[in-house]
Amino acid sequence: GFHVYMDVSGSVTDKVINNVYNILMATCKKEPCYLYLFASGMSSEPFCITKKTKYKDLAHFIQNENVGFGTQFTPLFEHIKEHCNEKHIIFSDYCFSNHEFKRDYIKSFKQTPIIHVLEDDYLYKNNYCQFLNYAKKNKKFNKILKLKDYLL
């Protein structure tokens, strides 16, 4: 299955939840998705999404899981590093401190499939995020998509 990470450090509207739900429902037709929320912390347990998952159940999980405020990518990076043989999808605006993306992550993520779904492509266009710069160079295992291109 896919390990899916959703940045909830900003305001998460019903429209955002609906768009993420639609993307995940299309993704989980063949295999389940395991959703983790992150901000300053990360969900301790994932929410399992299958083709039978109802929107209201996903919305309830997103609205009631407490993962703090602000954005810290270190817990996310550590989780991906521990599960480097799995496939990953990250929904985020990628606003975080570049010092969190360390060299040992680059080595660990070298053959880890990661799909990056950008909520806003400003940082991507302006090369502000080292993690996205790494992803641009490692196109064999990284895909960068824009959420606005997948809005339903």
Side-chain angles (χ1 to χ4, degrees):
F2 283 92
H3 288 252
V4 180
Y5 311 91
M6 183 175 172
D7 181 348
V8 293
S9 60
S11 61
V12 178
T13 64
D14 288 337
K15 182 178 180 180
V16 169
I17 294 171
N18 190 55
N19 289 328
V20 169
Y21 175 78
N22 288 328
I23 291 169
L24 293 179
M25 291 312 291
T27 304
C28 74
K29 286 184 179 182
K30 293 185 179 177
E31 53 190 317
C33 294
Y34 301 95
L35 177 65
Y36 296 87
L37 304 180
F38 73 97
S40 60
M42 194 167 101
S43 312
S44 56
E45 294 293 321
F47 180 77
C48 182
I49 298 170
T50 67
K51 58 186 175 186
K52 295 181 180 182
T53 300
K54 304 254 186 281
Y55 171 81
K56 67 180 178 80
D57 296 330
L58 175 67
H60 182 269
F61 174 73
I62 291 171
Q63 293 165 346
N64 292 293
E65 186 76 8
N66 184 6
V67 290
F69 301 98
T71 307
Q72 298 260 331
F73 267 67
T74 301
L76 169 79
F77 292 148
E78 289 297 324
H79 192 267
I80 293 173
K81 187 175 169 183
E82 290 171 18
H83 298 90
C84 62
N85 294 324
E86 305 286 339
K87 296 172 278 192
H88 305 273
I89 302 173
I90 304 169
F91 290 91
S92 180
D93 59 6
Y94 287 85
C95 288
F96 70 98
S97 176
N98 275 326
H99 77 275
E100 289 185 75
F101 190 59
K102 301 173 184 161
R103 289 193 183 278
D104 62 323
Y105 294 136
I106 292 173
K107 187 186 288 186
S108 298
F109 298 168
K110 201 168 209 138
Q111 295 186 345
T112 302
I114 303 173
I115 299 171
H116 308 267
V117 183
L118 305 175
E119 294 170 11
D120 180 355
D121 63 354
Y122 174 78
L123 295 174
Y124 174 71
K125 285 181 187 173
N126 292 292
N127 296 318
Y128 286 144
C129 179
Q130 288 178 359
F131 188 35
L132 291 177
N133 290 338
Y134 160 77
K136 285 187 225 180
K137 294 175 188 167
N138 187 5
K139 291 182 181 177
K140 182 176 180 183
F141 290 97
N142 286 262
K143 300 282 183 258
I144 300 174
L145 310 172
K146 296 175 192 159
L147 185 58
K148 68 180 182 180
D149 294 340
Y150 295 90
L151 299 182
L152 302 173

